[in-house]
PDB file of all heavy atoms in Angstrom:
ATOM      1  N   PRO A 177      -9.685 182.194 148.835  1.00  0.00           N
ATOM      2  CA  PRO A 177      -9.335 183.584 148.707  1.00  0.00           C
ATOM      3  C   PRO A 177     -10.086 184.623 149.572  1.00  0.00           C
ATOM      4  O   PRO A 177      -9.391 185.486 150.128  1.00  0.00           O
ATOM      5  CB  PRO A 177      -9.536 183.843 147.131  1.00  0.00           C
ATOM      6  CG  PRO A 177      -9.782 182.600 146.657  1.00  0.00           C
ATOM      7  CD  PRO A 177     -10.116 181.555 147.692  1.00  0.00           C
ATOM      8  N   LYS A 178     -11.424 184.351 149.735  1.00  0.00           N
ATOM      9  CA  LYS A 178     -12.121 185.340 150.557  1.00  0.00           C
ATOM     10  C   LYS A 178     -11.879 185.344 151.975  1.00  0.00           C
ATOM     11  O   LYS A 178     -11.503 186.307 152.568  1.00  0.00           O
ATOM     12  CB  LYS A 178     -13.639 184.857 150.307  1.00  0.00           C
ATOM     13  CG  LYS A 178     -14.610 186.081 150.780  1.00  0.00           C
ATOM     14  CD  LYS A 178     -15.943 185.836 150.374  1.00  0.00           C
ATOM     15  CE  LYS A 178     -16.234 186.387 148.943  1.00  0.00           C
ATOM     16  NZ  LYS A 178     -17.530 186.068 148.530  1.00  0.00           N
ATOM     17  N   ALA A 179     -11.645 184.115 152.433  1.00  0.00           N
ATOM     18  CA  ALA A 179     -11.160 184.000 153.853  1.00  0.00           C
ATOM     19  C   ALA A 179      -9.661 184.515 154.070  1.00  0.00           C
ATOM     20  O   ALA A 179      -9.465 185.385 155.044  1.00  0.00           O
ATOM     21  CB  ALA A 179     -11.208 182.450 154.236  1.00  0.00           C
ATOM     22  N   ALA A 180      -8.878 184.308 153.125  1.00  0.00           N
ATOM     23  CA  ALA A 180      -7.530 184.853 153.107  1.00  0.00           C
ATOM     24  C   ALA A 180      -7.644 186.392 153.183  1.00  0.00           C
ATOM     25  O   ALA A 180      -6.848 187.042 153.981  1.00  0.00           O
ATOM     26  CB  ALA A 180      -6.733 184.363 151.862  1.00  0.00           C
ATOM     27  N   SER A 181      -8.414 186.991 152.348  1.00  0.00           N
ATOM     28  CA  SER A 181      -8.469 188.474 152.420  1.00  0.00           C
ATOM     29  C   SER A 181      -9.203 188.925 153.591  1.00  0.00           C
ATOM     30  O   SER A 181      -8.859 190.031 154.125  1.00  0.00           O
ATOM     31  CB  SER A 181      -9.148 188.998 151.235  1.00  0.00           C
ATOM     32  OG  SER A 181     -10.553 188.823 151.298  1.00  0.00           O
ATOM     33  N   LEU A 182     -10.057 188.104 154.291  1.00  0.00           N
ATOM     34  CA  LEU A 182     -10.556 188.588 155.554  1.00  0.00           C
ATOM     35  C   LEU A 182      -9.651 188.650 156.626  1.00  0.00           C
ATOM     36  O   LEU A 182      -9.719 189.539 157.558  1.00  0.00           O
ATOM     37  CB  LEU A 182     -11.833 187.749 155.896  1.00  0.00           C
ATOM     38  CG  LEU A 182     -13.021 187.895 155.149  1.00  0.00           C
ATOM     39  CD1 LEU A 182     -14.114 186.761 155.521  1.00  0.00           C
ATOM     40  CD2 LEU A 182     -13.569 189.252 155.445  1.00  0.00           C
ATOM     41  N   VAL A 183      -8.693 187.679 156.619  1.00  0.00           N
ATOM     42  CA  VAL A 183      -7.567 187.781 157.749  1.00  0.00           C
ATOM     43  C   VAL A 183      -6.482 188.682 157.290  1.00  0.00           C
ATOM     44  O   VAL A 183      -5.379 188.681 157.978  1.00  0.00           O
ATOM     45  CB  VAL A 183      -7.049 186.409 158.071  1.00  0.00           C
ATOM     46  CG1 VAL A 183      -8.216 185.499 158.525  1.00  0.00           C
ATOM     47  CG2 VAL A 183      -6.368 185.758 156.830  1.00  0.00           C
ATOM     48  N   GLY A 184      -6.604 189.549 156.201  1.00  0.00           N
ATOM     49  CA  GLY A 184      -5.813 190.511 156.033  1.00  0.00           C
ATOM     50  C   GLY A 184      -4.559 190.220 154.961  1.00  0.00           C
ATOM     51  O   GLY A 184      -3.576 191.005 154.914  1.00  0.00           O
ATOM     52  N   ILE A 185      -4.826 189.261 154.178  1.00  0.00           N
ATOM     53  CA  ILE A 185      -3.810 188.847 153.197  1.00  0.00           C
ATOM     54  C   ILE A 185      -4.146 189.630 151.841  1.00  0.00           C
ATOM     55  O   ILE A 185      -5.338 189.554 151.316  1.00  0.00           O
ATOM     56  CB  ILE A 185      -3.788 187.406 152.922  1.00  0.00           C
ATOM     57  CG1 ILE A 185      -3.325 186.591 154.172  1.00  0.00           C
ATOM     58  CG2 ILE A 185      -2.903 187.053 151.850  1.00  0.00           C
ATOM     59  CD1 ILE A 185      -3.542 185.107 154.151  1.00  0.00           C
ATOM     60  N   GLY A 186      -3.120 190.298 151.237  1.00  0.00           N
ATOM     61  CA  GLY A 186      -3.510 190.828 150.017  1.00  0.00           C
ATOM     62  C   GLY A 186      -3.444 189.856 148.938  1.00  0.00           C
ATOM     63  O   GLY A 186      -2.386 189.456 148.392  1.00  0.00           O
ATOM     64  N   VAL A 187      -4.575 189.282 148.631  1.00  0.00           N
ATOM     65  CA  VAL A 187      -4.762 188.304 147.784  1.00  0.00           C
ATOM     66  C   VAL A 187      -4.018 188.514 146.271  1.00  0.00           C
ATOM     67  O   VAL A 187      -3.248 187.703 145.730  1.00  0.00           O
ATOM     68  CB  VAL A 187      -6.212 187.790 147.443  1.00  0.00           C
ATOM     69  CG1 VAL A 187      -6.245 186.696 146.422  1.00  0.00           C
ATOM     70  CG2 VAL A 187      -6.783 187.265 148.758  1.00  0.00           C
ATOM     71  N   GLN A 188      -4.331 189.659 145.732  1.00  0.00           N
ATOM     72  CA  GLN A 188      -3.851 190.157 144.450  1.00  0.00           C
ATOM     73  C   GLN A 188      -2.251 189.992 144.518  1.00  0.00           C
ATOM     74  O   GLN A 188      -1.615 189.742 143.490  1.00  0.00           O
ATOM     75  CB  GLN A 188      -4.463 191.444 144.039  1.00  0.00           C
ATOM     76  CG  GLN A 188      -5.755 191.276 143.374  1.00  0.00           C
ATOM     77  CD  GLN A 188      -5.748 190.295 142.255  1.00  0.00           C
ATOM     78  OE1 GLN A 188      -4.867 190.164 141.345  1.00  0.00           O
ATOM     79  NE2 GLN A 188      -6.848 189.348 142.291  1.00  0.00           N
ATOM     80  N   ARG A 189      -1.628 190.588 145.611  1.00  0.00           N
ATOM     81  CA  ARG A 189      -0.197 190.688 145.814  1.00  0.00           C
ATOM     82  C   ARG A 189       0.153 189.289 145.800  1.00  0.00           C
ATOM     83  O   ARG A 189       1.358 189.112 145.088  1.00  0.00           O
ATOM     84  CB  ARG A 189       0.033 191.524 147.103  1.00  0.00           C
ATOM     85  CG  ARG A 189       1.347 192.263 146.930  1.00  0.00           C
ATOM     86  CD  ARG A 189       1.348 193.408 148.013  1.00  0.00           C
ATOM     87  NE  ARG A 189       0.910 192.886 149.267  1.00  0.00           N
ATOM     88  CZ  ARG A 189       1.861 192.499 150.240  1.00  0.00           C
ATOM     89  NH1 ARG A 189       3.067 192.501 149.955  1.00  0.00           N
ATOM     90  NH2 ARG A 189       1.346 192.133 151.390  1.00  0.00           N
ATOM     91  N   MET A 190      -0.493 188.444 146.409  1.00  0.00           N
ATOM     92  CA  MET A 190       0.167 187.023 146.438  1.00  0.00           C
ATOM     93  C   MET A 190       0.089 186.390 145.157  1.00  0.00           C
ATOM     94  O   MET A 190       0.916 185.580 144.790  1.00  0.00           O
ATOM     95  CB  MET A 190      -0.744 186.226 147.534  1.00  0.00           C
ATOM     96  CG  MET A 190      -0.595 186.563 148.905  1.00  0.00           C
ATOM     97  SD  MET A 190       1.237 186.609 149.338  1.00  0.00           S
ATOM     98  CE  MET A 190       1.389 188.008 150.243  1.00  0.00           C
ATOM     99  N   VAL A 191      -0.947 186.622 144.346  1.00  0.00           N
ATOM    100  CA  VAL A 191      -1.083 186.013 142.956  1.00  0.00           C
ATOM    101  C   VAL A 191       0.136 186.609 142.115  1.00  0.00           C
ATOM    102  O   VAL A 191       0.810 185.856 141.421  1.00  0.00           O
ATOM    103  CB  VAL A 191      -2.384 186.427 142.302  1.00  0.00           C
ATOM    104  CG1 VAL A 191      -2.486 186.042 140.925  1.00  0.00           C
ATOM    105  CG2 VAL A 191      -3.609 185.725 143.189  1.00  0.00           C
ATOM    106  N   LEU A 192       0.346 187.963 142.298  1.00  0.00           N
ATOM    107  CA  LEU A 192       1.318 188.574 141.534  1.00  0.00           C
ATOM    108  C   LEU A 192       2.643 187.801 141.955  1.00  0.00           C
ATOM    109  O   LEU A 192       3.548 187.382 141.058  1.00  0.00           O
ATOM    110  CB  LEU A 192       1.521 190.047 141.778  1.00  0.00           C
ATOM    111  CG  LEU A 192       2.756 190.811 141.174  1.00  0.00           C
ATOM    112  CD1 LEU A 192       2.471 190.923 139.700  1.00  0.00           C
ATOM    113  CD2 LEU A 192       2.796 192.169 141.850  1.00  0.00           C
ATOM    114  N   LEU A 193       2.931 187.716 143.194  1.00  0.00           N
ATOM    115  CA  LEU A 193       4.113 187.021 143.735  1.00  0.00           C
ATOM    116  C   LEU A 193       4.316 185.674 143.245  1.00  0.00           C
ATOM    117  O   LEU A 193       5.417 185.184 142.801  1.00  0.00           O
ATOM    118  CB  LEU A 193       4.012 186.956 145.209  1.00  0.00           C
ATOM    119  CG  LEU A 193       5.432 186.721 146.008  1.00  0.00           C
ATOM    120  CD1 LEU A 193       6.467 187.791 145.682  1.00  0.00           C
ATOM    121  CD2 LEU A 193       5.191 186.563 147.458  1.00  0.00           C
ATOM    122  N   SER A 194       3.107 184.915 143.045  1.00  0.00           N
ATOM    123  CA  SER A 194       3.215 183.440 142.593  1.00  0.00           C
ATOM    124  C   SER A 194       3.618 183.427 141.186  1.00  0.00           C
ATOM    125  O   SER A 194       4.342 182.569 140.855  1.00  0.00           O
ATOM    126  CB  SER A 194       1.810 182.815 142.920  1.00  0.00           C
ATOM    127  OG  SER A 194       0.988 183.299 141.901  1.00  0.00           O
ATOM    128  N   PHE A 195       3.133 184.407 140.326  1.00  0.00           N
ATOM    129  CA  PHE A 195       3.546 184.409 138.987  1.00  0.00           C
ATOM    130  C   PHE A 195       5.087 184.770 138.822  1.00  0.00           C
ATOM    131  O   PHE A 195       5.677 184.113 138.088  1.00  0.00           O
ATOM    132  CB  PHE A 195       2.715 185.444 138.199  1.00  0.00           C
ATOM    133  CG  PHE A 195       1.523 184.818 137.455  1.00  0.00           C
ATOM    134  CD1 PHE A 195       0.425 184.666 138.273  1.00  0.00           C
ATOM    135  CD2 PHE A 195       1.530 184.455 136.154  1.00  0.00           C
ATOM    136  CE1 PHE A 195      -0.750 184.126 137.687  1.00  0.00           C
ATOM    137  CE2 PHE A 195       0.461 183.776 135.685  1.00  0.00           C
ATOM    138  CZ  PHE A 195      -0.738 183.668 136.395  1.00  0.00           C
ATOM    139  N   MET A 196       5.444 185.693 139.720  1.00  0.00           N
ATOM    140  CA  MET A 196       6.959 186.013 139.590  1.00  0.00           C
ATOM    141  C   MET A 196       7.795 184.908 139.938  1.00  0.00           C
ATOM    142  O   MET A 196       8.744 184.583 139.472  1.00  0.00           O
ATOM    143  CB  MET A 196       7.252 187.234 140.460  1.00  0.00           C
ATOM    144  CG  MET A 196       6.627 188.548 139.927  1.00  0.00           C
ATOM    145  SD  MET A 196       6.792 190.046 140.915  1.00  0.00           S
ATOM    146  CE  MET A 196       8.487 190.235 140.783  1.00  0.00           C
ATOM    147  N   ILE A 197       7.394 184.262 141.132  1.00  0.00           N
ATOM    148  CA  ILE A 197       8.268 183.035 141.594  1.00  0.00           C
ATOM    149  C   ILE A 197       8.242 181.943 140.605  1.00  0.00           C
ATOM    150  O   ILE A 197       9.239 181.275 140.312  1.00  0.00           O
ATOM    151  CB  ILE A 197       7.767 182.427 142.992  1.00  0.00           C
ATOM    152  CG1 ILE A 197       7.806 183.559 143.999  1.00  0.00           C
ATOM    153  CG2 ILE A 197       8.485 181.271 143.395  1.00  0.00           C
ATOM    154  CD1 ILE A 197       7.425 183.272 145.485  1.00  0.00           C
ATOM    155  N   SER A 198       7.020 181.610 139.945  1.00  0.00           N
ATOM    156  CA  SER A 198       7.074 180.486 139.140  1.00  0.00           C
ATOM    157  C   SER A 198       7.749 180.814 137.799  1.00  0.00           C
ATOM    158  O   SER A 198       8.455 179.994 137.126  1.00  0.00           O
ATOM    159  CB  SER A 198       5.717 180.095 138.748  1.00  0.00           C
ATOM    160  OG  SER A 198       5.090 180.988 137.779  1.00  0.00           O
TER     161      SER A 198
END
Side-chain angles (χ1 to χ4, degrees):
Chain A
K178 192 166 272 173
S181 78
L182 281 177
V183 297
I185 296 170
V187 175
Q188 278 308 311
R189 213 155 47 92
M190 291 304 134
V191 173
L192 177 69
L193 197 60
S194 75
F195 267 83
M196 290 174 71
I197 295 178
S198 77

